[in-house]
Amino acid sequence: VQLQASGGGLVQAGESLTLSCARSGRTLDSNTMAWFRQAPGKEREFVAAVARSGGEYYADSVQGRFTISRDNYKNSLYLQMNSLKPEDTAVYYCAGSPKIYIRRNYYYQSSSYDSWGQGTQVTVSS
């Protein structure tokens, strides 16, 4: 499966932004999809994940501000980001896995995903 992320940009604190991830390849290759981000000098961190069944998982830092969704017919993944903060500044990556996870902790680990998009930059100014 190939992933292509888009929608990043420069916004002010408090504003909103929506990221998109276009997915090509076999549908079953992306039973679980997620967004990760990496800020300069920091490790890549989990942001949100969504299972094919619709179950959603969020990092504490974005809970209540970000919403992940997927459109299986359009082969797309989205991340609606509201009330953005300067600390949300990072390169955002979409990721996919053919696996269906039972344990919550697997959704949070980058090693659980084997397909990655190229990343899109999000910059939030104060």
Side-chain angles (χ1 to χ4, degrees):
V1 60
Q2 292 184 335
L3 303 174
Q4 181 78 26
S6 62
L10 172 63
V11 297
Q12 293 187 335
E15 294 184 341
S16 299
L17 202 60
T18 300
L19 304 183
S20 299
C21 178
R23 171 169 52 90
S24 62
R26 298 188 306 170
T27 301
L28 292 178
D29 286 340
S30 298
N31 279 316
T32 300
M33 297 200 71
W35 290 97
F36 285 75
R37 66 186 181 186
Q38 187 167 17
K42 295 186 177 181
E43 294 186 354
R44 188 172 299 188
E45 65 174 1
F46 171 79
V47 176
V50 60
R52 173 166 294 280
S53 62
E56 300 174 14
Y57 306 86
Y58 295 95
D60 290 343
S61 59
V62 306
Q63 181 76 48
R65 298 189 298 122
F66 291 11
T67 302
I68 189 171
S69 62
R70 63 189 295 169
D71 186 330
N72 294 325
Y73 293 103
K74 294 183 178 180
N75 286 337
S76 295
L77 177 72
Y78 306 99
L79 185 67
Q80 173 67 43
M81 304 185 293
N82 298 327
S83 303
L84 282 162
K85 304 176 181 180
E87 51 263 44
D88 294 319
T89 295
V91 177
Y92 283 71
Y93 299 89
C94 55
S97 170
K99 297 180 181 179
I100 299 174
Y101 298 111
I102 303 300
R103 292 188 176 183
R104 178 185 294 265
N105 61 297
Y106 284 108
Y107 289 96
Y108 303 151
Q109 301 170 8
S110 60
S111 59
S112 297
Y113 302 88
D114 51 15
S115 299
W116 292 85
Q118 85 291 356
T120 185
Q121 176 71 47
V122 173
T123 303
V124 184
S125 63
S126 57

